[in-house]
Amino acid sequence: ETGVTQTPRHLVMGMTNKKSLKCEQHLGHNAMYWYKQSAKKPLELMFVYNFKEQTENNSVPSRFSPECPNSSHLFLHLHTLQPEDSALYLCASSHPGYNIQYFGAGTRLSVL
Amino acid sequence: DQQVKQNSPSLSVQEGRISILNCDYTNSMFDYFLWYKKYPAEGPTFLISISSIKDKNEDGRFTVFLNKSAKHLSLHIVPSQPGDSAVYFCAASAVFKTSYDKVIFGPGTSLSVIP
């Protein structure tokens, strides 16, 4: 398997649930990213990990908690989300110092 | 305030004709620009890029033009094909300014190529 894989593809959760999104890349990259895409809005960068270290937290609420155990895996832990958090969550990876990012297909999240 | 703007949310073009997608940016520090294409239920895929030292980059049917003085770039698709129907994102970044690639995306333009 190659590329960037995200699971699950779809997720429906209540406001009191705890869930996790998973991202795995098989491209040998060392930088990984979480983006949020809401309807009619640009992709919003949430978190960046570079060589497993978090290098950016773009003022994301604490109900989103990222985890990067190694350069190939990235998680986004979700708890007590709000309905406005419903969106497409995209993971991407790249080589550090290169601008071209490779994206997964995303997780479509609905918070009820 | 959006640093990368795509003022046309949608565009319809006849098959075989030229598609022109426009993008404007506000930050003069940007020096590398990218176009991504996104089909429904898929993630964005890299299409073509251009460095600020160039004003044109071509790859097959796709050409990107950069006008630095106007802070404007455009993507030309010639000839347009129905398979080109997708959302196109313009993106900009500053090369080597940080240890990772902070890329700012525009809101996207949905292109429909009509057979």
Side-chain angles (χ1 to χ4, degrees), chain B residues 20-59:
Chain B
I20 300 177
L21 295 93
N22 293 304
C23 177
D24 298 288
Y25 60 96
T26 58
N27 190 338
S28 58
M29 296 296 291
F30 290 141
D31 52 8
Y32 195 81
F33 305 89
L34 310 96
W35 285 93
Y36 282 80
K37 174 178 170 179
K38 184 181 183 302
Y39 292 118
E42 295 183 13
T45 55
F46 169 72
L47 187 59
I48 191 169
S49 63
I50 188 167
S51 165
S52 61
I53 63 173
K54 295 185 176 183
D55 54 17
K56 176 182 175 182
N57 189 25
E58 193 171 353
D59 183 2

Side-chain angles (χ1 to χ4, degrees), chain A residues 9 31 33 35 37 40-43 45 48 50 55-56 58 88 90 94-105, chain B residues 2 4 32 34 36 38 41-46 49 89 93-96 98-103 105-108:
Chain A
R9 294 293 309 276
Y33 313 78
Y35 286 87
Q37 187 184 19
K40 309 296 183 187
K41 290 187 177 180
L43 275 70
L45 180 65
V48 181
N50 198 26
T55 51
E56 175 109 0
N58 205 22
L88 179 68
L90 290 159
S94 74
H95 286 297
Y98 289 86
N99 306 77
I100 298 172
Q101 297 176 17
Y102 294 82
F103 285 83
Chain B
Q2 290 186 22
V4 178
Y32 195 81
L34 310 96
Y36 282 80
K38 184 181 183 302
E42 295 183 13
T45 55
F46 169 72
S49 63
F89 294 99
S93 75
V95 177
F96 306 128
T98 62
S99 61
Y100 65 90
D101 312 321
K102 188 166 183 177
V103 179
F105 287 83

Side-chain angles (χ1 to χ4, degrees), chain A residues 19-44:
Chain A
K19 297 286 185 183
S20 297
L21 310 185
K22 180 183 176 182
C23 176
E24 185 174 1
Q25 59 95 2
H26 304 273
L27 300 170
H29 294 159
N30 285 306
M32 296 189 77
Y33 313 78
W34 279 116
Y35 286 87
K36 174 183 178 182
Q37 187 184 19
S38 303
K40 309 296 183 187
K41 290 187 177 180
L43 275 70
E44 300 173 48

Side-chain angles (χ1 to χ4, degrees), chain B residues 65-87:
Chain B
F65 295 93
L66 175 62
N67 182 335
K68 283 185 296 183
S69 61
K71 295 191 179 69
H72 177 83
L73 62 155
S74 60
L75 174 68
H76 293 211
I77 307 173
V78 183
S80 301
Q81 299 174 355
D84 297 328
S85 298
V87 177

